[in-house]
Amino acid sequence: MADTPVRPEPRPTAETAAYWNAAREERLVVQRCEQCGRHQFYPRAFCTACLSENIEWVDSAGAGTIYTFTVCRVPAHPSMADKVPYAVAVIELDEGVRLLTNIVDCPIDRIRVGARVEVRFERISAETILPQFALTEVDDR
């Protein structure tokens, strides 16, 4: 039997290392500007609203809604072949930021724009845990 290809892992940068370190602790974090109070994601070295460099990492409640999604029926990488079909979604967290992730642990046909979701964590290697999201309620349509 052929070996399953290794799933690509994120390569943390100076701006994203705190995010990936928190994920290893099964915590979802986002940046918040100490100057204007705005939350932001994707991580940056400065606030995209007021340009302050006084940025801190804060815990997210890990809850939000599906802003948009797509169902992948052809794996984006050979390591994902056993997961098709799978959903890739943009989640709008309750903190007001959006992030790209997967929807897991639910039937694909139950995923809807606007559905409530909460964070789950998936270990993909000894070093990497990925924040993923699952529906908080699966409707019976």
Side-chain angles (χ1 to χ4, degrees), residues 50-62:
C50 73
L51 304 181
S52 171
E53 293 180 1
N54 297 322
I55 299 293
E56 64 181 340
W57 288 94
V58 296
D59 286 327
S60 165

Side-chain angles (χ1 to χ4, degrees), residues 15-26:
E15 285 81 20
T16 65
Y19 176 81
W20 295 113
N21 290 339
R24 274 198 295 276
E25 298 171 358
E26 297 192 2

Side-chain angles (χ1 to χ4, degrees), residues 14 17 21-23 28 36 52 55 57 61 88 94-95 117 122 128 130 136 140:
N21 290 339
L28 182 64
C36 70
S52 171
I55 299 293
W57 288 94
V88 176
D94 291 346
E95 290 84 4
V117 292
E122 177 186 358
T128 303
L130 298 177
T136 57
D140 292 328

